Amino acid sequence: MWLFGRPTGASGFSKHSTAEQVTDGIDASGLTAIVTGGSSGIGRETARVLALRGAHVVMGVRNMAAGKQVQEAIVKEIPTAKVDAMELDLSSLASVRKFASDFNSSGRSLNLLINNAGIMMTPFMLSKDNIELQFATNHLGHFLLTHLLLDNMKKTARKSKKEGRIVNVSSRAHRMTYPEGIRFDKINDEKTYGKYQAYGQSKIANILHANELTRHLKEEGAEITANSLHPGVISTNLFRHVFNPPSFAEGFVSKLTGLLMKNVQQGAATTCYVALHPQVKGVSGAYFSDSNLAKTTKLGKDWGLAKRLWDFSMNLIK
C-alpha cells in the first residue's frame, strides 16, 4: 500500500512532511528561541521556519560571518523576521558560558531552546577542555548551555504562562553506541575509540539528558518540557567525516541521497513540530521521529544510566 501513498503517523505527519507543513497555522509571535548550529543544515531551516512563524530567533553559531549571512538571507526572505546571531562554540565550555552570560544579561526572555548543533563521526580528538570531541560538542556543551539558561526559561514560563520547551536533536544512531551506553571511565580512551560508537554515545546522551531533565523539571513543578528526536538521515556537511578518505562508497551513497535521505526542509520538520505544535503540549521525556512519537532503545530508557550521566556531566562542568 505504501507504493501508492505516503503513510502518516498518529500526528497526521510523516517523514515526507516539511518544517513549514508541520507548523502551518501556528503563531509563535511573542516567543524567543535559541537554535544552536543555526547557520547551516537543519539548524538553519529550523531558525528560518521559527522566524517565519513569528518567533524571535537567536542563532548560536561558531562562524559569525556565516551566521550574519544566514541572518540577512532570512530577513531578506521574511522582512518581518526577528533573527540574531551570537557566537557559540559548543566544544568550549568557556564559549558556552560567555554565550549564556551574554544572553541572560541582555534581558531577553527564553521560551524555546533547540539544542541542534553537532559534529559527526570525527577522528579521535580532544576538545579545548580535554574531553573527547563528539561527547564534548554534542552532549556536554548543550548540557552546560541548558543548565545556564534554565533559570531564564523558568522565569519566562512563570511570567508568560506559556510552556517552555527544550528540544535535543539526537539521532537514530544512538542505537550504535558502545554496549554499555556511556563509557564513563573511557571517555578519553583513544585506544578503544570508535568514531561511529562515539557518535552513538553522544546521541544517546542527548536522549538521556532530556529524560533526566524531565524528572528534575517535574519535581520542581516547572512548566517546561524536554524531549529528544531523530531528525532523519539528511544530506548535510555532517557527513564529511564518514568517508575519510573518500571512497567508492561515498560516491555510491551520494547517488542514493535523493532516494534514501530527507532534504533539509523535511529534516527540520520534527524539530519544529516538537518545538511548536500544540499536540506536544505537556509531553516531556519522549523521543520523536518523523514528527511522531517513536521508540528508543532499552539503554535510551534507562533511568539509572540517565541519572549517572547527569551526575557525571555536572562534575565535568564544575
Side-chain angles (χ1 to χ4, degrees):
M1 294 298 292
W2 285 21
L3 293 174
F4 304 101
R6 294 183 169 184
T8 60
S11 68
F13 303 114
S14 74
K15 70 177 184 178
H16 302 287
S17 302
T18 66
E20 286 198 26
Q21 289 170 341
V22 303
T23 59
D24 185 40
I26 295 175
D27 181 8
S29 59
L31 301 182
T32 300
I34 288 176
V35 180
T36 68
S39 62
S40 65
I42 63 173
R44 174 175 178 160
E45 178 67 1
T46 298
R48 187 188 72 83
V49 172
L50 293 181
L52 177 67
R53 300 306 176 213
H56 181 176
V57 179
V58 177
M59 302 182 297
V61 299
R62 277 187 301 178
N63 185 327
M64 280 299 291
K68 289 294 185 182
Q69 288 179 348
V70 171
Q71 176 189 18
E72 291 168 3
I74 292 175
V75 173
K76 184 176 180 181
E77 178 194 345
I78 312 163
T80 58
K82 292 174 284 187
V83 184
D84 294 307
M86 292 175 60
E87 188 172 1
L88 173 63
D89 179 358
L90 284 151
S91 70
S92 165
L93 297 181
S95 176
V96 174
R97 291 184 191 280
K98 184 178 187 307
F99 175 93
S101 176
D102 289 348
F103 182 87
N104 287 332
S105 63
S106 72
R108 291 188 180 108
S109 58
L110 182 59
N111 306 90
L112 309 172
L113 174 58
I114 314 297
N115 291 322
N116 163 81
I119 57 174
M120 181 178 178
M121 301 174 188
T122 60
F124 181 83
M125 290 181 274
L126 295 178
S127 72
K128 295 172 183 176
D129 303 286
N130 291 316
I131 300 165
E132 188 276 309
L133 193 61
Q134 294 193 80
F135 186 83
T137 305
N138 297 351
H139 165 65
L140 195 64
H142 282 125
F143 181 90
L144 176 60
L145 181 67
T146 304
H147 179 68
L148 295 175
L149 294 173
L150 203 53
D151 282 345
N152 188 326
M153 292 195 72
K154 291 175 184 176
K155 181 180 178 181
T156 300
R158 287 194 301 268
K159 189 174 180 180
S160 67
K161 301 194 183 311
K162 293 179 181 178
E163 177 183 85
R165 295 186 184 183
I166 297 167
V167 183
N168 283 358
V169 178
S170 178
S171 169
R172 183 179 173 83
H174 75 273
R175 297 173 182 273
M176 65 184 188
T177 186
Y178 299 105
E180 60 269 49
I182 307 290
R183 299 186 118 186
F184 295 104
D185 300 324
K186 296 183 179 180
I187 287 292
N188 289 349
D189 189 347
E190 185 175 1
K191 290 182 179 179
T192 59
Y193 177 81
K195 66 181 182 180
Y196 304 109
Q197 295 94 327
Y199 179 67
Q201 174 178 248
S202 72
K203 293 288 100 180
I204 200 166
N206 294 148
I207 296 171
L208 296 171
H209 173 214
N211 292 351
E212 181 65 8
L213 181 57
T214 289
R215 189 178 69 80
H216 284 256
L217 291 168
K218 286 184 176 179
E219 284 181 355
E220 296 174 25
E223 287 296 312
I224 301 171
T225 62
N227 293 294
S228 57
L229 62 91
H230 169 53
V233 181
I234 304 132
S235 180
T236 70
N237 61 7
L238 274 179
F239 278 90
R240 63 189 179 276
H241 292 292
V242 177
F243 302 104
N244 189 20
S247 64
F248 169 78
E250 180 180 19
F252 180 71
V253 168
S254 68
K255 295 289 186 183
L256 290 177
T257 294
L259 294 174
L260 301 180
M261 294 186 180
K262 291 183 177 182
N263 59 37
V264 170
Q265 292 75 25
Q266 295 166 334
T270 305
T271 302
C272 291
Y273 172 77
V274 177
L276 288 183
H277 207 284
Q279 288 178 354
V280 189
K281 182 176 174 56
V283 177
S284 195
Y287 175 73
F288 293 81
S289 180
D290 298 332
S291 301
N292 280 275
L293 283 166
K295 293 182 179 180
T296 181
T297 61
K298 184 177 180 180
L299 286 171
K301 296 179 286 186
D302 188 328
W303 291 99
L305 186 62
K307 173 66 166 61
R308 188 178 176 192
L309 175 64
W310 182 278
D311 293 341
F312 181 74
S313 303
M314 287 296 290
N315 186 58
L316 287 176
I317 64 173
K318 284 181 180 177

